[in-house]
Amino acid sequence: MLSTFMEVLDTTVVNVSLPHIAGSLSATIDEATWTLTSYLVSNAIILPLTGWLSNFFGRKRMLMLSVTGFTIASFACGLAPTLPFLVVCRVIQGACGGSLQPISQAVLLESFPPQDRGKAMGFWGLGIVVAPLLGPVLGGWLTDSYSWRWVFYINVPIGVASIIMTRLFVFDPHYIKRASSKIDYWGIGMLAVGIGLLQVVLDKGQEKDWFATMWITVVAVAAVVALVAFMFRELMIDHPVVQLRVFKDRTYSTGVFLMSMLGVGLYGTTVLIPLILQTLLGYPALRAGIAMAPRGLGSFIAMPIVGLIMSKFDPRKMLALGLFVCALTLFQFSGLDRSAGYWDFFWPQLEMGLSLGLVFVPLTTITMSGIAKEKMGNATSLFNLVRNLGGSIGISAVQTMEVRLQQTNTNVLGAHVNPFSTAARNMMNMMEGMMVSRGGDAVAAAQQARAMIFGLVQREAAMISYNTIFKSLGILFIALLPFILIMRRPSQKAPAVAAH
């Protein structure tokens, strides 16, 4: 869990440091965002390959190499003298970190008997759900108190501890062995190209106006072609690098789909709430990060408890309850306005954190319940890949919806600000009078009043946009409930393991 926490934390911890990185390395903020994109791309490429890499090199060796590489790359990121050097180090960091989530999940699932897997997933989930929420808080504090370089240096002691503990306590099970000496180079290449290009499109799409930009269109088409070709190849050859036939299990397939949608909602709201706090309510970055803490607190409380009690209940019912409560919290957010205070965000976020415990632990346990141990590494790789891609899709969708809805709402609200509106005339006269009373001339006062009213319209349009997105996400979570009926209740007995 140490290695997983460290790796997931790095997906968000750099976000609030971007202006400092850009200023320190003589780059623009737009150029500095490649430190995020490069990490996500290399991370996404390695994720689905983890099962095969663990069998090829040995799981323990793969885990130790990954943690060692991640730790060294983190230290090199902190020493980076230029932005290109930092981006290269982030690529190495993401590539080494991509295998940490699925390997740690597979180790925990295999180390515990079926009736205790809920406990294991409860504690493992702390790293997956709490780390992205703590990232902006920790990153903001380290950057403000010390330097952006400490955002990377903080990984070094955690990495060293993880290496020592892995060396002492993690061992390869007897069924982890190299399945074939043949290496599917074509499959690896098509997967790397497809996943890498898809991640670039999702990360840069909104910034470049999606398909209105030619290179985004070309990259998106290339990603689709590469991924379709990859799937056909992996289903046709005898020794694929990724076992896609695992999706024949309906419980696993449904669980992976639900996890991708959970990623959309989890990461989407992680973007929305800080935007509201900073752009509409005037919170500084660090205070906005602290205002996100109740969700992490709720998850921190709920996940171990859910893991301990899950064996006494049907986990599908707990999953349904969690999705329902999560939807209710999203509907609560959809009713906020610009007069909302700290506690208006505190309670819904705490409830959402508690509900994520009810969702994440049962969903992970149910999804993996029918997977044989020797196939666990491959299954956890795909599971984590789809969750990460769901998060990327959620962030892109939320950002796009916010921009487009705000434009529409500005036009609708602005249409009512005209000379024929009594309220608009009164507001204009009041603002003009206020500007004149401060020593301005009449012409300048009129211009300033118009600018102030337009800013007011934009802020209200943005708030309505956020409310609409929250409501849409709430409806999405309600729509997921029927899919739980497709999933089988997990057995308390372990699935059969192939004889050796």
Side-chain angles (χ1 to χ4, degrees):
M1 192 182 120
L2 269 178
S3 60
T4 300
F5 187 88
M6 176 177 68
E7 189 271 328
V8 179
L9 187 74
D10 265 50
T11 61
T12 59
V13 73
V14 183
N15 293 20
V16 296
S17 305
L18 285 181
H20 298 267
I21 292 173
S24 174
L25 301 181
S26 302
T28 65
I29 292 180
D30 185 47
E31 291 170 337
T33 58
W34 281 104
T35 60
L36 303 178
T37 304
S38 58
Y39 181 87
L40 293 173
V41 169
S42 59
N43 195 274
I45 290 171
I46 294 298
L47 262 172
L49 294 173
T50 302
W52 177 80
L53 289 170
S54 297
N55 287 339
F56 195 84
F57 294 107
R59 180 180 292 165
K60 180 174 182 175
R61 186 180 294 116
M62 182 65 189
L63 182 57
M64 291 192 67
L65 285 173
S66 297
V67 177
T68 302
F70 189 92
T71 305
I72 294 172
S74 297
F75 187 71
C77 285
L79 295 175
T82 63
L83 184 63
F85 185 90
L86 177 60
V87 170
V88 170
C89 292
R90 286 286 281 175
V91 170
I92 298 170
Q93 193 185 34
C96 293
S99 61
L100 297 179
Q101 295 178 48
I103 289 179
S104 62
Q105 186 180 20
V107 168
L108 280 170
L109 284 167
E110 294 172 12
S111 300
F112 288 80
Q115 65 271 18
D116 290 332
R117 284 180 178 174
K119 301 174 186 177
M121 288 302 95
F123 286 97
W124 183 78
L126 290 176
I128 294 297
V129 176
V130 177
L133 300 175
L134 288 181
V137 182
L138 182 61
W141 177 72
L142 287 171
T143 302
D144 289 344
S145 303
Y146 301 98
S147 162
W148 64 266
R149 298 180 185 277
W150 281 95
V151 169
F152 299 106
Y153 291 149
I154 195 69
N155 291 330
V156 175
I158 301 174
V160 170
S162 179
I163 292 168
I164 294 171
M165 294 176 72
T166 301
R167 180 75 179 84
L168 293 174
F169 301 116
V170 175
F171 302 96
D172 284 346
H174 62 86
Y175 46 80
I176 294 291
K177 66 176 185 177
R178 187 177 298 189
S180 171
S181 58
K182 296 180 180 179
I183 300 176
D184 179 17
Y185 291 108
W186 279 102
I188 293 173
M190 287 186 286
L191 177 66
V193 171
I195 293 293
L197 294 181
L198 176 61
Q199 190 66 57
V200 170
V201 170
L202 292 173
D203 197 50
K204 292 293 183 180
Q206 171 55 34
E207 181 185 322
K208 302 299 180 183
D209 199 21
W210 293 103
F211 302 116
T213 303
M214 178 56 69
W215 76 264
I216 288 287
T217 304
V218 172
V219 169
V221 171
V224 172
V225 170
L227 289 174
V228 170
F230 166 76
M231 287 189 285
F232 273 108
R233 178 174 176 80
E234 297 305 288
L235 291 171
M236 298 299 293
I237 65 175
D238 294 329
H239 303 289
V241 70
V242 177
Q243 292 283 353
L244 297 178
R245 291 182 177 86
V246 70
F247 286 105
K248 288 182 178 179
D249 186 315
R250 76 174 195 229
T251 298
Y252 178 80
S253 300
T254 306
V256 168
F257 169 72
L258 291 176
M259 181 53 74
S260 68
M261 294 297 101
L262 181 63
V264 169
L266 174 63
Y267 286 91
T269 53
T270 304
V271 169
L272 279 181
I273 296 172
L275 278 175
I276 295 173
L277 293 171
Q278 292 182 75
T279 61
L280 297 183
L281 303 184
Y283 282 49
L286 181 57
R287 191 179 170 200
I290 293 172
M292 293 290 291
R295 189 192 302 191
L297 177 63
S299 297
F300 189 82
I301 294 170
M303 285 195 177
I305 295 174
V306 171
L308 290 171
I309 66 173
M310 200 178 70
S311 60
K312 299 178 174 61
F313 301 94
D314 184 345
R316 295 173 300 177
K317 294 179 180 177
M318 299 179 74
L319 174 57
L321 177 62
L323 287 174
F324 182 73
V325 175
C326 204
L328 288 181
T329 62
L330 290 167
F331 288 130
Q332 284 180 271
F333 280 122
S334 71
L336 296 177
D337 56 34
R338 292 197 304 115
S339 64
Y342 174 80
W343 295 105
D344 295 310
F345 288 90
F346 180 91
W347 294 114
Q349 286 206 93
L350 183 64
E351 293 166 21
M352 181 175 281
L354 294 171
S355 69
L356 286 174
L358 285 169
V359 170
F360 192 89
V361 179
L363 179 56
T364 307
T365 307
I366 298 169
T367 303
M368 299 298 173
S369 62
I371 304 299
K373 283 189 174 183
E374 70 272 16
K375 298 179 181 178
M376 193 66 75
N378 178 73
T380 55
S381 300
L382 291 171
F383 183 78
N384 284 280
L385 170 68
V386 173
R387 179 180 55 79
N388 281 14
L389 287 178
S392 297
I393 292 170
I395 292 170
S396 298
V398 160
Q399 290 176 335
T400 302
M401 288 176 67
E402 192 275 326
V403 171
R404 306 293 165 87
L405 286 171
Q406 185 173 351
Q407 291 171 344
T408 302
N409 294 334
T410 300
N411 288 334
V412 172
L413 295 177
H416 296 280
V417 183
N418 57 68
F420 303 102
S421 169
T422 304
R425 285 202 311 271
N426 292 339
M427 177 71 76
M428 179 70 76
N429 293 334
M430 181 186 72
M431 289 183 174
E432 285 182 19
M434 182 175 66
M435 293 297 124
V436 171
S437 68
R438 292 180 177 178
D441 62 83
V443 175
Q447 292 175 340
Q448 290 171 330
R450 289 191 189 96
M452 291 172 67
I453 290 179
F454 182 63
L456 180 63
V457 168
Q458 283 187 309
R459 290 191 293 275
E460 290 297 337
M463 193 72 232
I464 296 171
S465 303
Y466 293 130
N467 290 345
T468 303
I469 297 170
F470 280 125
K471 189 176 294 182
S472 301
L473 291 174
I475 293 171
L476 172 65
F477 273 65
I478 293 293
L480 295 177
L481 289 172
F483 288 94
I484 298 174
L485 300 174
I486 302 174
M487 306 176 82
R488 301 184 187 92
R489 179 172 183 172
S491 169
Q492 296 299 314
K493 297 179 180 179
V497 178
H500 295 277

